[in-house]
Amino acid sequence: MIEYFHRQIQLWGKERQDALQNKKIAVIGAGGLGSSLAFALGSSGIGEIHLVDFDTVSIHNIHRQIAFKIGDEGKSKAALNAELIEQRCPFVNAISHQCDFETFSQKNITVDLIIDATDNLPTRGQIDDYCKSKNLPWIYGSVEAFHGQVCFFEESSFRDAFKISLQTPAGIAAPIVMHIASLQANLALRYLAGLSVKKDRLYYLFFNEEGELIMQKFGLPKT
């Protein structure tokens, strides 16, 4: 185990790495963001990772959902991601839940952090409501076209910051999915390892017409 996590132990020491083994997280959504998060966090040493998604793989998912390959069509996204994590890291218990978030929330599974990897605002509203009721932090992430948003929610209200509505997502470039998931994963890992994290701040990332990556930061009001 020490050899497997050698480079992380160099970064923050064996005590913090050992502490990660006692942490539990839930990733809600196992598609684009979710499968990138599985790669980014699945081999970090977090003790237990719950992957929640009712959907199965479709051919149009594969270009941006890096856990899947041709031949996976019709298989459970959550189950495939859990299998991938445990193949890459024997020190993580990955558990798949083939259901929606509302059903998962009724299981009352205790976790330290929830990470949003969904693709719709109503479910994010449900996540925020649930986390507020449990005094639990969560990390929001969304992608569309060449831009994306991330926020570590603790005291701020998602419903106050965003108008909850149903909308059809536009096209998505595959690399921005991994970029946003990477930012979510870094915030999650810092928090779980006991390092400082800026909370209740919205990060908005986009590529302008010249291909320059721009990041804007907005403080959110706290309830």
Side-chain angles (χ1 to χ4, degrees), residues 13-165:
K14 187 175 182 300
E15 185 176 343
R16 287 186 192 274
Q17 187 62 50
D18 289 344
L20 283 176
Q21 282 286 293
N22 297 318
K23 300 297 183 180
K24 301 178 182 181
I25 67 170
V27 178
I28 314 303
L33 289 173
S35 58
S36 292
L37 285 164
F39 266 93
L41 294 175
S43 55
S44 66
I46 297 167
E48 189 170 289
I49 300 177
H50 296 266
L51 298 130
V52 182
D53 200 312
F54 60 84
D55 201 8
T56 58
V57 178
S58 298
I59 187 69
H60 66 84
N61 299 141
I62 296 171
H63 94 284
R64 69 191 184 282
Q65 300 182 6
I66 62 174
F68 314 134
K69 61 186 183 300
I70 298 296
D72 286 336
E73 297 92 324
K75 297 179 182 178
S76 162
K77 292 181 179 181
L80 285 174
N81 273 287
E83 181 181 343
L84 173 69
I85 289 173
E86 293 195 341
Q87 286 175 343
R88 296 185 69 230
C89 184
F91 310 106
V92 176
N93 182 23
I95 304 165
S96 66
H97 302 265
Q98 298 171 44
C99 61
D100 60 16
F101 175 71
E102 183 176 4
T103 301
F104 172 76
S105 67
Q106 293 170 359
K107 296 182 180 182
N108 289 318
I109 295 171
T110 300
V111 296
D112 299 285
L113 180 70
I114 288 180
I115 307 178
D116 159 49
T118 65
D119 61 0
N120 69 88
L121 291 169
T123 301
R124 292 173 182 133
Q126 292 176 358
I127 293 172
D128 190 56
D129 292 342
Y130 176 81
C131 288
K132 292 293 188 293
S133 72
K134 300 289 186 179
N135 195 29
L136 184 68
W138 68 286
I139 300 175
Y140 155 70
S142 69
V143 290
E144 188 171 15
F146 293 100
H147 59 267
Q149 301 179 111
V150 173
C151 182
F152 190 113
F153 276 95
E154 184 179 61
E155 298 181 41
S156 295
S157 167
F158 180 83
R159 292 186 180 276
D160 289 344
F162 294 89
K163 180 180 179 181
I164 305 296
S165 64

